[in-house]
Amino acid sequence: VSPHGKMQTFLCVAFAGVGTSIVGARAGSLYVFIGYSAKLVKKGAHQPAPKGGPMSGGVQSVTVVGDLVASGGGLGDGSLKLWAKNNLQHLGTVMLPHTLPDLGSVRSIYGDSEAHILVGTKLGEIFEVEGGAVKQLVSGHGRVKVRTADAGKGSNADDDDDDDVNDDYDDD
């Protein structure tokens, strides 16, 4: 959506009140809709997705927490940004210490108060942002051994046979 009706790919939405929604776009912008009309556009909120690339750039997640809007950037950005709900004025950026560089797009945000926000990433990392401090709660996906249900029956559990499976994290 634009003043001329140009189509945008919207990736996420949060509801800020009756009839008001905040939408994140692949192009990296945030939109505030009242009813069916875009009343406010914040261009460049996050880095856009590369042209012809996967849908893992732009604004990947958005939520409303009290008087704040929290948005999460995609591939190449991977940050949490905080905005004033009433005018989308930028209030701050939280850079998350991803365990693997350039892969930690923010996919989920939850806040029970403006001072306590949980952030989930594409790689399964979970961060707690509390009073500006960032703490990693969960390390995320990676190369792990998975034991099947019958792994211990009649075989040595330490053998490298088909009972152990390497499970690589696969992108979307």
Side-chain angles (χ1 to χ4, degrees), residues 55-71:
M55 293 280 192
S56 52
V59 181
Q60 291 287 312
S61 56
V62 65
T63 193
V64 175
V65 183
D67 289 330
L68 295 178
V69 172
S71 64

Side-chain angles (χ1 to χ4, degrees), residues 1-170:
V1 175
S2 76
H4 304 289
K6 183 179 175 189
M7 294 292 292
Q8 296 287 323
T9 301
F10 294 144
L11 302 176
C12 53
V13 63
F15 299 99
V18 176
T20 303
S21 56
I22 300 169
V23 179
R26 181 175 190 253
S29 298
L30 283 170
Y31 292 81
V32 177
F33 282 87
I34 298 177
Y36 297 107
S37 299
K39 297 297 183 184
L40 180 62
V41 178
K42 188 65 163 186
K43 292 186 178 201
H46 290 276
Q47 290 181 359
K51 290 189 188 278
M55 293 280 192
S56 52
V59 181
Q60 291 287 312
S61 56
V62 65
T63 193
V64 175
V65 183
D67 289 330
L68 295 178
V69 172
S71 64
L75 197 64
D77 182 327
S79 65
L80 173 71
K81 293 191 178 183
L82 303 175
W83 313 87
K85 184 170 81 171
N86 62 345
N87 61 7
L88 290 186
Q89 177 185 349
H90 184 243
L91 301 175
T93 299
V94 178
M95 295 306 296
L96 302 171
H98 300 292
T99 56
L100 296 173
D102 295 329
L103 296 175
S105 63
V106 173
R107 296 296 175 99
S108 180
I109 306 168
Y110 169 79
D112 57 7
S113 73
E114 294 175 10
H116 185 247
I117 297 174
L118 297 176
V119 179
T121 71
K122 176 181 176 181
L123 293 179
E125 302 160 313
I126 299 176
F127 295 95
E128 177 181 57
V129 180
E130 193 165 26
V134 179
K135 177 182 176 184
Q136 187 171 2
L137 301 178
V138 175
S139 175
H141 299 288
R143 195 161 174 81
V144 297
K145 292 272 188 173
V146 177
R147 175 99 34 214
T148 61
D150 62 350
K153 296 178 184 173
S155 67
N156 184 344
D158 292 331
D159 286 347
D160 255 351
D161 57 14
D162 289 339
D163 290 337
D164 288 333
V165 178
N166 281 325
D167 184 23
D168 291 332
Y169 178 76
D170 190 36

